[in-house]
Amino acid sequence: MTAMIHAEQVTKSFGHHEVLRGIDLTVEAGEVCCLLGPSGSGKSTFLRCVNHLETVSSGRLRVDGQLVGYRESHGRLHELRPREIAARRRDIGMVFQRFNLFPHLSAAANIMEAPMRVRGVSKTDARQQALALLDRVGLADRAEAYPATLSGGQQQRVAIARALAMRPKLMLFDEPTSALDPELVGDVLDVMRSLAAEGMTMVVVTHEMGFAREVADTVVFMDGGVVVEAGQPGQVLVAPREERTRGFLAKVL
Ligand SMILES: Nc1ncnc2c1ncn2[C@@H]1O[C@H](COP(=O)(O)OP(=O)(O)OP(=O)(O)O)[C@@H](O)[C@H]1O
Ligand SMILES: [Mg+2]
C-alpha cells in the first residue's frame, strides 16, 4: 500500500539557512500523526512542503505516491506547472492557527466558495453540503453568521468544515488551537477527534499533549530540522529514548 506521506531525506533552505536538514517520515493512510517540537524546528515549513506551498530543496517528498512539485517520467523529474500544483493541492486540506475565513461571507458561504469555484459544484449542492458540514462541526444553527460574530473556536470549526468541503484525502493542522481561549479549545479538539475516528489521515502540529496522547497513532518529535524521535504516543511521550525529547517534554508537560 502507498503511504499518504513519504519523506526521504527532505531538506529545505531559505537562502543559506537550512531549515529542514534531512527529514525522514512516513504517514500511512488513515493515520493521525502529531508533530511536536520547539519553535523554529521546522514544523510549519514541513507542512508547507507537504501542501506544495514550498518546494523541497533536496530529497524526495511523496504525497499519495506522487512527488511534491515534480512529475516523474522515464526516470527524470520535471517541475510541475502552477496549474498542476493547484490541482494536487486541492486534495489536501489545511487548517492554520489563524482561521483566515472570508470576513464578508457567512459561515455557509465560506464553505460553499471553493467547491463552487474550483470543483464546479452547483450552488444548491454546495449549500446542502455546507449545512451538513456545519452540523458535523456542531454549528448547524450558525450558517448565516458572519465570522466577526463567531467566537474563535466557532471560526476554527468553520475553517475545518471549509477544508472538508473539498473532500481532501489528507488534512494538515498547524497549531489549530493555539490562538484560542482555553475554554474554546475542547470543541475544536472534539471535531478533530471525530475526524480521526472516521479514518481521516491527519498531520497535526500541536502543543496539546493530551490530544496527542489520546488520538495520535504516531508522535514525531522534531528539533533543528530533523526528526529526533518518532513512535507510538505511549513511547515518545511517556518513555522518550532521546535526551532532546525528554528536555522538550519537561518544558511543555
Ligand atoms: N519563508 C521563509 N523565509 C526565510 N526563513 C523562513 C521562512 N519560513 C520559515 N523560515 C525560518 O525557518 C525556521 C523554521 O520555521 P518554522 O516556521 O517551520 O518553525 P516551526 O517549528 O513551525 O516554529 P513555531 O513553533 O514557532 O511555529 C525559522 O528559523 C524561520 O525563521
Ligand atoms: Mg509553526
Side-chain angles (χ1 to χ4, degrees), residues 40 42-45 97 174-175 205:
K43 306 179 298 293
S44 297
T45 302
Q97 184 173 345
D174 196 352
E175 302 198 33
V205 176

Side-chain angles (χ1 to χ4, degrees), residues 108 111-116 119 121-136 161-168:
I111 298 168
M112 292 161 64
E113 206 267 344
M116 283 168 58
R119 295 235 197 255
V121 175
S122 76
K123 191 168 180 181
T124 315
D125 290 351
R127 168 124 188 127
Q128 199 174 13
Q129 187 193 215
L131 296 180
L133 284 168
L134 282 169
D135 187 39
R136 184 162 159 194
R162 183 175 60 175
L164 293 175
M166 292 296 279
R167 305 186 185 283

Side-chain angles (χ1 to χ4, degrees), residues 53-96:
L53 293 168
E54 305 281 0
T55 35
V56 308
S57 303
S58 70
R60 297 284 168 111
L61 177 58
R62 285 189 166 78
V63 173
D64 204 14
Q66 291 188 310
L67 280 174
V68 174
Y70 298 92
R71 188 161 36 81
E72 228 170 358
S73 72
H74 308 295
R76 296 179 64 174
L77 297 183
H78 305 272
E79 258 182 70
L80 292 180
R81 285 182 279 270
R83 255 183 44 194
E84 298 172 292
I85 291 174
R88 288 196 190 177
R89 196 181 287 149
R90 265 172 228 160
D91 292 335
I92 303 174
M94 183 133 183
V95 175
F96 302 91

Side-chain angles (χ1 to χ4, degrees), residues 9-234:
Q9 285 299 305
V10 165
T11 75
K12 175 67 187 176
S13 298
F14 295 106
H16 294 299
H17 184 191
E18 195 176 43
V19 172
L20 301 180
R21 298 190 300 125
I23 298 279
D24 288 310
L25 180 65
T26 302
V27 179
E28 302 292 347
E31 192 180 327
V32 177
C33 171
C34 283
L35 211 52
L36 318 177
S39 183
S41 55
K43 306 179 298 293
S44 297
T45 302
F46 182 70
L47 285 195
R48 290 171 57 79
C49 287
V50 170
N51 197 24
H52 308 62
L53 293 168
E54 305 281 0
T55 35
V56 308
S57 303
S58 70
R60 297 284 168 111
L61 177 58
R62 285 189 166 78
V63 173
D64 204 14
Q66 291 188 310
L67 280 174
V68 174
Y70 298 92
R71 188 161 36 81
E72 228 170 358
S73 72
H74 308 295
R76 296 179 64 174
L77 297 183
H78 305 272
E79 258 182 70
L80 292 180
R81 285 182 279 270
R83 255 183 44 194
E84 298 172 292
I85 291 174
R88 288 196 190 177
R89 196 181 287 149
R90 265 172 228 160
D91 292 335
I92 303 174
M94 183 133 183
V95 175
F96 302 91
Q97 184 173 345
R98 289 271 155 215
F99 335 115
N100 307 317
L101 296 175
F102 303 114
H104 61 291
L105 295 178
S106 69
N110 261 283
I111 298 168
M112 292 161 64
E113 206 267 344
M116 283 168 58
R117 184 176 46 82
V118 180
R119 295 235 197 255
V121 175
S122 76
K123 191 168 180 181
T124 315
D125 290 351
R127 168 124 188 127
Q128 199 174 13
Q129 187 193 215
L131 296 180
L133 284 168
L134 282 169
D135 187 39
R136 184 162 159 194
V137 300
L139 293 170
D141 55 340
R142 304 310 303 273
E144 306 318 320
Y146 284 84
T149 70
L150 296 171
S151 75
Q154 290 171 332
Q155 290 183 56
Q156 190 61 301
R157 285 183 280 152
V158 173
I160 293 172
R162 183 175 60 175
L164 293 175
M166 292 296 279
R167 305 186 185 283
K169 57 189 176 191
L170 168 64
M171 286 283 285
L172 308 175
F173 295 86
D174 196 352
E175 302 198 33
T177 58
S178 305
L180 300 178
D181 291 335
E183 73 272 20
L184 303 178
V185 168
D187 288 338
V188 173
L189 293 181
D190 282 345
V191 167
M192 293 168 62
R193 207 174 271 126
S194 73
L195 263 185
E198 286 162 25
M200 177 64 79
T201 312
M202 299 164 50
V203 182
V204 185
V205 176
T206 186
H207 301 298
E208 296 290 335
M209 294 300 149
F211 178 84
R213 180 84 200 274
E214 180 199 340
V215 181
D217 297 294
T218 309
V219 170
V220 174
F221 174 66
M222 273 176 70
D223 193 12
V226 296
V227 171
V228 172
E229 184 161 2
Q232 294 181 348

